[in-house]
Amino acid sequence: MTFEKTNLKEVDEITQIVSDARSRIGRLGIDQWQYGYPSRDVIVEDIRRGRSYVAHDDDGSLCAVFTVIDDGEPVYDTIYDGAWITEGNNYLAVHRIAVSSKKLRRGVASSAMKFVEDMARAQGRESVRIDTHQGNAPMRAMLEHNGYVHCGSVYLETGEHRVAYEKRLG
């Protein structure tokens, strides 16, 4: 599996992966991503800002897409019912991770998180942070399996509650 920054030629395929992920999340009975987010415009903006990454399988097929925020996540400035493991803004944040339906249960999301961790280490970052819906059991299980610690709750700009995770890098 290889990881690289996303290019605009991949937008249609990424939009389909996100749409499939939205359907899978909806089947969990939760409202995360159910109202058109992330939209095609959000995906294009992530690419234009140079913070969207894709995973390609050995056969060249697109496996996953995810966004890496390297300049701080304002939503993470305040955490409720807990505390971050590290202080300050010396972290990378991961958002909008979606895996192709054809590549589920093959460790793609775990590999993407390891890629981000390696990127963070290379940049001298202390940790990686991520949030998800409380009911997104597959995502939460993947994070916990990979050493991410549930730190508390954050609230999106829309007021939606999310559970927050962090992994300190050694």
Side-chain angles (χ1 to χ4, degrees):
M1 189 171 313
T2 59
F3 296 92
E4 60 192 14
K5 287 198 175 191
T6 310
N7 68 61
L8 287 170
K9 294 179 208 165
E10 297 170 304
V11 171
D12 290 337
E13 195 170 359
I14 289 167
T15 301
Q16 185 59 53
I17 288 172
V18 169
S19 178
D20 290 346
R22 181 178 294 119
S23 295
R24 290 193 310 271
I25 291 169
R27 286 193 296 274
L28 295 173
I30 59 177
D31 62 356
Q32 185 180 17
W33 286 19
Q34 296 310 296
Y35 305 104
Y37 176 87
S39 67
R40 182 181 183 89
D41 290 344
V42 168
I43 293 165
V44 168
E45 181 63 18
D46 282 345
I47 296 168
R48 287 199 171 125
R49 292 182 71 180
R51 58 189 194 180
S52 177
Y53 291 82
V54 289
H56 288 103
D57 208 344
D58 295 337
D59 65 5
S61 62
L62 198 116
C63 298
V65 61
F66 53 97
T67 300
V68 179
I69 309 294
D70 65 1
D71 57 354
E73 171 54 74
V75 168
Y76 294 170
D77 289 349
T78 304
I79 188 165
Y80 301 88
D81 304 320
W84 293 114
I85 297 168
T86 63
E87 294 183 22
N89 288 325
N90 194 20
Y91 63 86
L92 292 182
V94 179
H95 290 303
R96 297 182 281 285
I97 186 167
V99 175
S100 168
S101 296
K102 299 172 190 170
K103 305 295 181 175
L104 292 175
R105 302 193 196 339
R106 296 184 188 178
V108 175
S110 292
S111 294
M113 295 306 293
K114 285 179 178 54
F115 170 80
V116 176
E117 292 163 21
D118 290 344
M119 181 190 316
R121 283 186 193 94
Q123 294 177 11
R125 306 289 180 139
E126 289 182 88
S127 68
V128 175
R129 294 179 183 176
I130 188 169
D131 64 84
T132 192
H133 191 283
Q134 184 172 350
N136 193 338
M139 176 62 79
R140 294 184 73 180
M142 182 278 295
L143 291 170
E144 291 168 11
H145 175 78
N146 286 289
Y148 285 78
V149 176
H150 176 225
C151 293
S153 299
V154 295
Y155 290 87
L156 306 180
E157 292 174 358
T158 60
E160 296 170 88
H161 169 262
R162 294 292 183 258
V163 289
Y165 286 84
E166 183 174 27
K167 181 175 182 178
R168 181 193 299 269
L169 305 173

